[in-house]
Amino acid sequence: MFDEKSKIKFENNNLIVPDTPYIVFIEGDGTGPDIWRASQLVFDSAVKKVYENKRKIQWVEALAGEKAFKETGKWLPEKTLELIRELRVGIKGPLTTPVGKGIRSINVALRQELDLYACIRPVRYFDGVPSPIKHPEKVDFVIFRENTEDLYAGIEWQAETPEAKKVSEFLFKEFGKKLPDTVGIGIKPISKFATERLTRMALKYAIKNKKNVVTFVHKGNIMKFTEGAFKNWGVECAKNEFREYIVLEEENLSKEGKILVNDRIADAMFQQIILRPDEYKVIVTPNLNGDYLSDAAAALVGGLGMAPGANIGDGYAVFEATHGTAPKYANLDKVNPSSVILSGVMMFEYLGWNEVANIIIRAIEKTIKNKTVTYDLARQMEGAKELKCSEFGQAIVDNME
Ligand code: NAP
């Protein structure tokens, strides 16, 4: 039983956060426990530093992944979903996805079950982090990836099963589309409903955070009724609901003080973010494009070890590491915990505890500038001192001002 007074509430589209909120955590598999220990130390220390004893997080552990499977026989127990539904905000380490065994990705399941329809990935540079590009400081954008639809909806049939044959026969009989006998089939649903709610979230974010460009990234030149429709619905929604804030690229209007709304074809966007990253501030894109683009963008600013992420719905949010479980480093106290720590920064911003977010960011900046970093950054930085995962967490705490 939880104390009602410490539960986060969601009323009239507003999050109401008590001083001692419950937050659900899933430590994750593989390197997850090492990363979680370092991250929790940073979070608790930052809250204490800023608010002394006035505010404090009450952590509530939920099980998922291998730990859950060992203890309950389920990869994602219903209890975990219930906890997040009840307490609204969670943060998680990476979880194992067994490949090709018919078990749906736990991450995808969490997003779908809780209708966390936007995957938000800020991509920004920390001074001193090794980067493959000449001006990584120009990279500063946020990706809003649709999180519930597209080829990730899980509507697919394995080749040579009765189901795949039935769908194949239907397509031939009803539409004259002949597929090979050995075909596996996946469905790519993209709806106006999901596109519009993602667009609203991205535009509200752009307005609130004074970001002056919102770009729809799609492959609508080829997939007209899914990706093309995504772009059309998104732009229409921006025009209909945010007219006073926006100007379209093709409009011959002053862009002064407005948010420029434009679109780019997905493949071209991969070179855009490398060659002219400073032209992009908020990117809105369907699920699959967003998955690829997020990791490619993370590579520009230090790789997945430095990339945070959040899955957000209406009144529910799960913040997460963007990398996987890196099983070869499990329990070696070695890997970089920054992805979870920076996801925590997003979480504190979501809670409205911006002072905590800021103090952590500044401490990370200082720790990296001092060249005291984990192996992944140390191996690319001249003169760096390699720290263990736990030592890196402690260094961040020591650098909090
Ligand atoms: P991965 O776990 O992300 O690891 C790939 C490589 O990325 C590692 O070998 C390491 O590179 C680097 N890396 C990952 N995390 C790091 C960290 N915290 N600090 C520094 N370097 C880090 O990818 P994977 O091996 O393909 O996947 C392993 C498992 O994770 C699979 O079961 C997969 O399904 C799952 N997964 C989960 C999530 C999630 O929960 N969100 C996401 C992706 C994958 P070096 O070897 O070069 O040191």
Side-chain angles (χ1 to χ4, degrees), residues 124 132 266:
R124 56 156 289 189

Side-chain angles (χ1 to χ4, degrees), residues 31 35 66 92-99 105 107 111 295 304-306 320-329 334-339 374-377 379:
T31 49
I35 291 174
E66 282 165 12
K92 61 176 273 294
L95 296 171
T96 306
T97 304
V99 179
S105 156
N107 296 309
R111 291 169 199 166
D295 281 17
L304 291 182
M306 295 298 297
E320 68 173 357
T322 52
H323 54 70
T325 58
K328 67 182 176 185
Y329 297 125
K334 186 174 173 76
V335 294
N336 187 348
S338 296
S339 177
T374 43
Y375 84 98
D376 52 318
L377 300 181
R379 68 186 169 189

Side-chain angles (χ1 to χ4, degrees), residues 267-312:
D267 41 342
M269 191 63 180
F270 278 84
Q271 70 156 359
Q272 292 281 316
I273 60 166
I274 295 169
L275 299 178
R276 303 211 295 275
D278 48 339
E279 291 182 14
Y280 300 96
K281 305 293 175 210
V282 175
I283 291 168
V284 191
T285 190
N287 210 335
L288 181 61
N289 297 337
D291 199 358
Y292 296 154
L293 201 60
S294 303
D295 281 17
L300 304 177
V301 293
L304 291 182
M306 295 298 297
N311 296 294
I312 299 195

Side-chain angles (χ1 to χ4, degrees), residues 66 70 121 151 158 175 212 217 224 292 294 305 338 356 363 378:
E66 282 165 12
K70 266 190 213 131
R121 299 263 300 256
L151 289 161
Q158 196 176 354
F175 301 108
N212 62 357
V217 174
K224 296 186 191 308
Y292 296 154
S294 303
S338 296
V356 179

Side-chain angles (χ1 to χ4, degrees), residues 17-21 43-57 348-349 351-359:
V17 181
D19 284 339
T20 53
F43 301 152
D44 288 338
S45 306
V47 172
K48 187 146 188 150
K49 183 112 191 158
V50 173
Y51 301 126
E52 296 183 343
N53 293 323
K54 193 176 156 285
R55 286 181 167 168
K56 189 174 190 293
I57 302 279
F348 286 117
E349 285 166 352
L351 298 178
W353 294 13
N354 289 0
E355 304 92 330
V356 179
N358 292 340
I359 201 178

